[in-house]
Amino acid sequence: MQARTQWTAPGGALGRLVDRARERVAVLGDEKTWARRAANTPSGPSFAGALDSDTVSVIAEVKRRSPSKGQLNVSMDANERARRYAEAGAAALSILTEPSEFGGSLQDLETARQSTSCPLLRKDFHVHPVQMFEARAYGASAALLIVRALGPDDTRIMADAAKEAGVEALFEIRDDAELSWALDAGARIIGVNRRNLETLEMEDGVIEQLVPLIPSFVHAIAESGVSTRPDVERVAALGADAVLVGSALSVAPDPGQAVSDLIGVPRSAVRD
């Protein structure tokens, strides 16, 4: 894996999902209207604050399907799932709101907000500032910014929009250049994704290379490929503060027990 020196628009699955996100943005309506709605929505609990712990925090995800794995749990009740995750000790929840290939919706975010006091991450393909206000209006504490989808300039624009909307940004990266762009945009929460969202392939070495490079003042999250307690222990040794677990928890017949099996792994001081 080598860092890029300049950004090119994404192709493959990520490019397709970005295009669909832009189509949804086109019918969202006036940004000022969404800004007013966001301003009238009570702020959620701090996402970053929930990751301040002596143990590796578990961010549990509500995900019905995905482009890489197909159907996972299409009949999932987001309200019930969120409640079970929270009761079992999840530090925060990730709610997929992308409808076309993940089966998510903003209603899932809204109902999860009603069923739990955990901070919620809106996980979607965010490409326009209006989506940050939309996320806040539906109860999100944080929103995902995929740096590969945005490039350095739009990453900064979206980071500024998140601040204005009152949501925290989780910057997702996969190489050195994206790490630099995220830090330049003021990142305080960075997720490292093993999955290449263009090819949908899992790539070894990404988390091992990048997590140790994330500054100690930034929360580091390991994403994709985490399903067991040994997985959590492995990324903890690299300096991960948290893990985001999607598919393994979404298909678990007992979601509460599945979360309980992952929590309590001590954090490493390797990045301190």
Side-chain angles (χ1 to χ4, degrees):
M1 183 188 63
Q2 296 182 350
R4 298 182 310 280
T5 57
Q6 63 182 23
W7 180 78
T8 56
L14 180 59
R16 180 177 69 247
L17 287 159
V18 164
D19 288 343
R20 290 179 177 172
R22 295 191 189 283
E23 292 171 0
R24 293 193 297 275
V25 165
V27 297
L28 265 182
D30 181 56
E31 185 173 324
K32 291 181 179 179
T33 299
W34 281 105
R36 286 193 296 270
R37 285 187 59 178
N40 290 328
T41 302
S43 59
S46 171
F47 187 83
L51 308 184
D52 289 330
S53 174
D54 293 333
T55 61
V56 176
S57 299
V58 173
I59 304 165
E61 188 160 88
V62 173
K63 178 165 62 175
R64 293 188 177 88
R65 62 177 188 262
S66 75
S68 60
K69 295 191 175 183
Q71 294 187 357
L72 296 169
N73 190 345
V74 294
S75 61
M76 181 190 298
D77 182 324
N79 186 309
E80 172 68 10
R81 205 76 175 187
R83 184 184 61 80
R84 295 282 299 278
Y85 287 160
E87 289 176 349
L93 308 182
S94 170
I95 311 297
L96 258 301
T97 61
E98 201 286 329
S100 64
E101 298 192 37
F102 288 88
S105 71
L106 284 160
Q107 285 66 43
D108 289 341
L109 184 62
E110 190 171 43
T111 59
R113 176 74 290 142
Q114 294 167 357
S115 66
T116 174
S117 60
C118 278
L120 305 180
L121 168 72
R122 181 191 181 186
K123 196 173 183 187
D124 208 320
F125 296 82
H126 296 117
V127 295
H128 191 283
V130 69
Q131 292 170 290
M132 299 295 96
F133 297 106
E134 182 187 40
R136 169 68 184 271
Y138 276 89
S141 294
L144 181 70
L145 300 182
I146 302 173
V147 178
R148 177 69 189 96
L150 296 168
D153 295 337
D154 282 352
T155 293
R156 287 192 295 270
I157 290 170
M158 293 296 286
D160 289 343
K163 290 178 184 176
E164 184 179 355
V167 295
E168 298 162 270
L170 190 171
F171 296 76
E172 182 175 290
I173 65 163
R174 294 198 67 262
D175 64 29
D176 296 353
E178 292 173 12
L179 172 58
S180 181
W181 298 340
L183 292 173
D184 287 346
R188 291 298 180 268
I189 313 169
I190 292 179
V192 180
N193 195 347
R194 275 188 65 205
R195 189 177 300 282
N196 183 324
L197 294 180
E198 295 177 90
T199 66
L200 300 180
E201 296 295 322
M202 296 285 274
E203 297 180 356
D204 293 335
V206 176
I207 289 175
E208 290 80 357
Q209 177 181 342
L210 292 176
V211 166
L213 300 181
I214 297 173
S216 60
F217 61 83
V218 176
H219 291 288
I221 302 173
E223 303 177 26
S224 292
V226 175
S227 59
T228 66
R229 192 175 188 86
D231 291 335
V232 180
E233 293 169 343
R234 176 178 55 83
V235 297
L238 298 169
D241 301 308
V243 291
L244 193 156
V245 187
S247 299
L249 292 181
S250 293
V251 300
D254 186 340
Q257 185 60 53
V259 169
S260 296
D261 290 344
L262 301 178
I263 63 175
V265 174
R267 285 181 54 214
S268 166
V270 67
R271 290 175 47 247
D272 291 344

